[in-house]
Amino acid sequence: MRWLPVLAFVVRGTLLAGTAADFVRALHENQFDRSECYRVRDISIVKEDLKIYLTDGHLIFSKPLAGRRVAAAFTADVDSGDGEVILLPPSRGERSSLASYTGSPNLDQHFRAAMFIFTGSDYDAILSQLPRNAANKKVTDVAAKLDDFWTPRLRGLSEGFETRMALDLIGGSAGHPGIFVGLFESSKYGNFDVIFDPWAQEQIVAGRVVERDKHSYFDTWTSFADRSARHNPPARREDVLLSDYRIESTLDAGLALDCVTRVKVKSLADGANAVSFQMAAEMDLASVTVDGRPAEILQRDSLRSNIGRSDELFLVFPPEPLRAGREYEFEFKHSGKVIQDAGDHVYYVSARGNWYPTHNLQFAQYDLIFRYPVDLDLVAAGDIVEDRTEGDRRITRRRTASTIRFAAFNLGHYEQVQVERSGYVVDVCANRALETALQPKPRQTLSLPVTAAARQSQGSILVGPAPAPAAPSPVAELQRVATEVASSVEFMVSRFGPPALPHITVSPIPGTFGQGFPGLIYISTLAYVKSPAAANPSDQLFFDDFLQAHEVAHQWWGNRVTTTYYRDGWLMEALAQISALLYVEKRKGAPSAALMLDSYRASLLEKGANGQIADAAGPVSFGPRLTSSLTPAAYRTITYGKGLWVMQMLRRRMGDERFLALLLDLVKQYDHREITTDEFRQAAAAHLPPHSDDPKLETFFDQWVNGTGIPALKLSYAVKGKAPQLRLVGTIAQSDVESDFSTLAPVEIEVARGQTITQWVRTSSDPVIFTAPLKQAPVKVSLDPHYAVLRRM
Ligand SMILES: [Zn+2]
């Protein structure tokens, strides 16, 4: 799935036809209707900004499904036959995204064939146009040929939209606008899709599925809110509210997990026929009841929507439509293998935030019971309220002190220490053994799959560099890790107030990454092994300090303040990055912070196979869209690198005191709420020093957050006049960026030992001249000595 909001919805209305199972069977058997085949000319399908013209050709419709025709196929198989699709993205960022994939900022593509899948009234809309042209008529001669050709394709393709079609057609309320999917075959781009979904936050998406190096990518060419939504943005709303999760989990000796998840679901709308949930694909859903009565389940991969995701969408059809304001108890029985063995009893959880059914990751209380083999240690979010042994099983019950968005757990054969700082308890666990990959021989790196979904829905994976050779015992380093984590907790509590939960457990995960869930932090097993003296200094700093601090920072960024929209997800990572940087700077000094900034800068400037620097893959606000067949690794480089630098640049414009006040304000204002990039921009602007250049930070966000480009800046200067009436006349020349790029850059003039004047200069494509009056000749003049601008070095 490209992003979350499209997925989570609830349908209202009356059940039109049969059950979900009947619907799915009918969908798999659906075919084109030989009595609904037309010769067509000048038919248009217009969906807001999207225009499709069936200029000349044949059009055949599918047979009805749940009372509605849901597909049509067009073939330009006549003399001068033609179809055309036109899409003009409304913003510069979207035009340049489209251009990066297609070579053109606008989509205007002729096609020879197309299939349309729809759940709205498109059949009627097309039929009503037929009388306009006398050439339009029903035909029979090509119907059989078209049916034979298109029906297998229809069955294959509509399976990919099964869940959504079920929602619209058997759960949907009357008058629902419905989804429209155009699947085009063009000579220039091969197959590509254009989707119009009135329910999505961005209604129009164009792109295509690309296979590369055995991976499937959905390359999002462009995605934007349609014309109506741009002029009159629809309010975001929830249809159900979840509360009080109670999850009972049993882990057998083979590490298979068997769960009963109960959650209260309050319907906000009357007559909902279906509720959508998400869960890891590794988990099998056996049954669902609603208030004790069996509910029907529709669980199905969605082809395009699930690429790169480990989450699966499923629908629950309660025995009767839900009533507004009533609270129901949903009970799910599910099981699966979500725990893997990395060797020598070092385990990891592959479905860390999605091992149970969730809906839009709403904040809820959790009551968790785990039954597990007595020789294992199991840690999870929340405070222990019960812990006992029954035969060869240990039973631990935990409850969360406040609401959280997801509950994670971890397990292993642990050694554990407890540290208390600033009134908060931090438990730090280490594996007693080292996983196979880190044992001296054979040397091999375990690389966990980091899916787009994990990155986006859990919003907190920080992947580090490849591992360095390791020392043997993680336990030996436990005290050091515990001290490190505790001091970063202390640092952040002193700046941002209480963390998401008062009890934080830190546990290891094999691999080169970490992840910060409320009350439970995973850190790379590499953080537990002492780096050899020869290790790269920035890698060493990353695993010794930065990674832990970043994951600790997620207790605030992502778990107290959150985001839901894919374009805002970068914010949580960027805030965790700058928090870690501030901590490292405090603990290890400014050169250590500079080392991290240099290392992230270098990765942004690294040239790819296409000859472009990594930063050029797209704006940081594109989030998961950055992962594409063109730039498979760009998400990581840009989210963490550009994100850190955006925050660092804001910090330098504000000064540390104002910047820290901004961070504290965010925690207070957006506690247990989501923040958008634009709200963040406004909050940041409010903390700028008075009379700042670009006071609303609009230029800053246009360029650094919603745009790409890293300039090279060059300072030259001369001192003119006679003391005490000297003038420093300087020039800053900018290159390597688009001609409209412009940034503020500080020039620091040391007028006497330890006494400096900072002059901020706004750059442009032409060299900019600035002057500074001085009483005496400067000791030193330097451009941006304190990492205030991301620039080429
Ligand atoms: Zn993170």
Side-chain angles (χ1 to χ4, degrees):
M1 186 61 223
R2 291 175 300 281
W3 51 84
L4 206 60
V6 189
L7 278 178
F9 30 65
V10 141
V11 201
R12 289 181 293 280
T14 324
L15 217 57
L16 290 175
T19 60
D22 290 340
F23 174 83
V24 170
R25 203 170 304 120
L27 181 72
H28 292 180
E29 288 165 5
N30 196 16
Q31 62 186 100
F32 282 96
D33 186 343
R34 295 181 183 193
S35 67
E36 282 292 318
C37 183
Y38 298 87
R39 178 79 162 78
V40 290
R41 279 208 184 123
D42 300 327
I43 299 289
S44 56
I45 301 169
V46 178
K47 305 276 180 187
E48 298 277 343
D49 306 69
L50 167 66
K51 297 181 178 70
I52 299 167
Y53 299 107
L54 309 181
T55 312
D56 201 350
H58 286 111
L59 187 68
I60 186 167
F61 289 98
S62 74
K63 288 189 171 168
L65 185 70
R68 184 164 280 198
R69 294 185 195 270
V70 294
F74 172 81
T75 312
D77 56 351
V78 296
D79 287 344
S80 72
D82 188 29
E84 188 178 8
V85 54
I86 296 173
L87 189 60
L88 311 178
S91 69
R92 181 183 162 162
E94 289 305 326
R95 285 191 291 273
S96 76
S97 170
L98 181 60
S100 69
Y101 292 101
T102 66
S104 165
N106 295 312
L107 183 69
D108 184 349
Q109 189 58 41
H110 291 267
F111 57 87
R112 301 292 304 166
M115 179 139 77
F116 308 114
I117 293 175
F118 39 82
T119 57
S121 55
D122 298 275
Y123 170 73
D124 296 331
I126 292 170
L127 276 201
S128 71
Q129 294 178 48
L130 294 180
R132 285 186 210 160
N133 190 323
N136 291 329
K137 57 174 192 287
K138 196 172 258 192
V139 290
T140 51
D141 52 336
V142 295
K145 196 178 109 197
L146 291 178
D147 175 25
D148 289 344
F149 179 80
W150 286 106
T151 288
R153 286 164 180 76
L154 170 67
R155 289 177 184 170
L157 285 165
S158 49
E159 266 183 39
F161 297 95
E162 194 170 293
T163 320
R164 176 55 190 270
M165 291 177 84
L167 267 169
D168 285 5
L169 294 170
I170 60 170
S173 54
H176 192 284
I179 193 172
F180 177 92
V181 182
L183 306 135
F184 301 92
E185 273 177 42
S186 81
S187 50
K188 192 168 172 192
Y189 309 121
N191 295 343
F192 65 94
D193 307 350
V194 180
I195 299 170
F196 173 74
D197 181 357
W199 274 0
Q201 191 150 11
E202 292 181 353
Q203 292 81 9
I204 294 177
V205 178
R208 106 186 145 109
V209 178
V210 178
E211 301 288 330
R212 186 182 157 182
D213 301 333
K214 292 181 182 160
H215 276 85
S216 291
Y217 297 90
F218 185 86
D219 284 352
T220 304
W221 293 354
T222 181
S223 173
F224 55 89
D226 69 28
R227 191 172 287 140
S228 300
R230 291 198 297 278
H231 293 146
N232 190 11
R236 297 275 312 273
R237 59 179 171 79
E238 281 292 0
D239 292 302
V240 290
L241 291 182
L242 272 62
S243 60
D244 290 318
Y245 267 101
R246 281 147 302 136
I247 309 178
E248 289 184 45
S249 304
T250 305
L251 193 63
D252 69 16
L255 300 179
L257 193 65
D258 197 27
C259 306
V260 179
T261 295
R262 297 185 183 90
V263 64
K264 288 182 183 149
V265 177
K266 184 174 176 178
S267 179
L268 298 179
D270 227 15
N273 276 337
V275 185
S276 67
F277 292 90
Q278 282 166 279
M279 190 166 58
E282 302 99 294
M283 272 285 175
D284 288 324
L285 186 62
S287 66
V288 181
T289 61
V290 175
D291 284 348
R293 295 166 62 196
E296 203 181 356
I297 313 162
L298 177 58
Q299 193 174 18
R300 180 83 215 175
D301 281 349
S302 183
L303 177 70
R304 276 156 185 75
S305 63
N306 272 357
I307 287 176
R309 256 189 109 75
S310 60
D311 271 8
E312 201 168 76
L313 177 73
F314 67 89
L315 304 180
V316 173
F317 292 84
E320 57 191 46
L322 303 182
R323 291 214 308 271
R326 235 200 91 180
E327 196 168 70
Y328 299 84
E329 179 166 272
F330 280 50
E331 183 186 286
F332 305 83
K333 291 205 166 107
H334 53 103
S335 58
K337 188 100 172 98
V338 296
I339 296 157
Q340 318 295 333
D341 191 341
D344 218 357
H345 304 289
V346 173
Y347 305 113
Y348 67 91
V349 183
S350 57
R352 288 176 291 281
N354 55 357
W355 53 283
Y356 60 91
T358 60
H359 177 94
N360 274 0
L361 298 179
Q362 295 177 355
F363 281 97
Q365 297 278 357
Y366 284 80
D367 183 333
L368 306 165
I369 298 176
F370 289 97
R371 295 184 185 84
Y372 51 101
V374 73
D375 62 323
L376 278 176
D377 298 291
L378 190 143
V379 292
D383 300 307
I384 295 175
V385 291
E386 198 184 330
D387 192 12
R388 63 195 160 87
T389 303
E390 250 177 34
D392 57 358
R393 271 192 186 173
R394 189 164 161 191
I395 299 158
T396 309
R397 181 173 193 171
R398 289 176 184 255
R399 269 196 213 116
T400 56
S402 56
T403 59
I404 55 174
R405 295 177 82 205
F406 27 44
F409 70 97
N410 201 0
L411 74 165
H413 294 281
Y414 292 153
E415 198 76 46
Q416 196 167 329
V417 295
Q418 192 169 77
V419 191
E420 213 181 313
R421 292 278 179 93
S422 321
Y424 298 97
V425 176
V426 184
D427 278 316
V428 183
C429 308
N431 286 312
R432 292 207 176 92
L434 207 57
E435 71 260 26
T436 315
L438 293 181
Q439 286 169 7
K441 273 178 187 176
R443 282 241 307 273
Q444 184 198 355
T445 308
L446 173 76
S447 165
L448 291 187
V450 180
T451 63
R455 281 194 301 262
Q456 149 221 343
S457 66
Q458 295 153 28
S460 49
I461 288 190
L462 179 62
V463 183
S473 174
V475 173
E477 296 295 313
L478 178 58
Q479 196 59 52
R480 178 183 58 80
V481 176
T483 308
E484 198 56 55
V485 171
S487 62
S488 62
V489 169
E490 190 175 25
F491 174 86
M492 297 197 197
V493 166
S494 74
R495 266 89 182 156
F496 316 139
L501 289 175
H503 183 166
I504 299 172
T505 303
V506 177
S507 63
I509 182 152
T512 60
F513 67 97
Q515 207 168 0
F517 288 99
L520 180 67
I521 295 169
Y522 295 95
I523 54 172
S524 165
T525 43
L526 290 168
Y528 294 83
V529 291
K530 210 170 173 55
S531 321
N536 171 337
S538 66
D539 291 3
Q540 190 173 338
L541 183 63
F542 181 87
F543 286 113
D544 284 355
D545 303 86
F546 197 83
L547 175 66
Q548 288 89 311
H550 173 105
E551 302 309 342
V552 165
H554 274 308
Q555 294 303 305
W556 290 266
W557 315 121
N559 291 317
R560 277 191 64 179
V561 180
T562 71
T563 56
T564 53
Y565 188 27
Y566 81 95
R567 288 189 196 250
D568 303 324
W570 72 277
L571 263 176
M572 296 300 106
E573 293 309 329
L575 287 164
Q577 287 285 77
I578 195 70
S579 303
L581 191 86
L582 290 167
Y583 167 73
V584 161
E585 189 175 290
K586 176 104 192 315
R587 190 161 169 84
K588 296 260 163 110
S592 291
L595 188 65
M596 293 314 297
L597 288 163
D598 283 333
S599 144
Y600 280 109
R601 181 209 327 255
S603 60
L604 288 165
L605 290 173
E606 210 165 281
K607 283 204 169 129
N610 57 6
Q612 290 187 313
I613 59 169
D615 175 76
V620 67
S621 58
F622 273 17
R625 281 172 62 178
L626 293 167
T627 303
S628 75
S629 68
L630 299 181
T631 54
Y635 171 84
R636 189 171 121 189
T637 311
I638 292 172
T639 304
Y640 298 107
K642 194 75 169 276
L644 173 64
W645 268 97
V646 164
M647 292 298 166
Q648 168 71 8
M649 289 191 280
L650 288 173
R651 171 195 175 195
R652 287 293 185 239
R653 284 186 193 201
M654 286 175 199
D656 279 6
E657 200 177 318
R658 287 173 175 278
F659 186 71
L660 284 167
L662 163 67
L663 299 187
L664 185 58
D665 259 16
L666 294 178
V667 175
K668 285 182 177 159
Q669 272 189 48
Y670 293 93
D671 196 12
H672 285 70
R673 281 210 296 134
E674 65 191 75
I675 184 170
T676 65
T677 299
D678 206 51
E679 286 167 336
F680 174 74
R681 178 189 58 76
Q682 292 171 38
H687 285 83
L688 282 175
H691 316 298
S692 290
D693 179 289
D694 189 18
K696 292 182 173 172
L697 289 170
E698 282 164 337
T699 306
F700 180 92
F701 275 72
D702 278 351
Q703 293 189 160
W704 296 111
V705 176
N706 298 314
T708 59
I710 300 177
L713 301 177
K714 194 166 178 293
L715 170 73
S716 53
Y717 66 92
V719 180
K720 295 183 175 169
K722 280 187 180 168
Q725 284 181 316
L726 295 173
R727 275 182 309 134
L728 177 98
V729 181
T731 305
I732 296 182
Q734 173 180 285
S735 58
D736 295 332
V737 277
E738 299 275 316
S739 60
D740 60 352
F741 195 96
S742 165
T743 184
L744 276 180
V747 175
E748 205 173 275
I749 306 159
E750 195 174 343
V751 288
R753 288 259 165 258
Q755 196 189 333
T756 57
I757 302 170
T758 301
Q759 182 150 350
W760 288 85
V761 180
R762 177 156 288 285
T763 68
S764 82
S765 57
D766 292 326
V768 173
I769 298 168
F770 66 94
T771 59
L774 299 174
K775 291 200 173 73
Q776 61 197 77
V779 179
K780 193 179 171 191
V781 180
S782 38
L783 173 68
D784 182 30
H786 301 296
Y787 294 79
V789 187
L790 173 57
R791 60 198 172 96
R792 298 185 192 225
M793 300 289 274

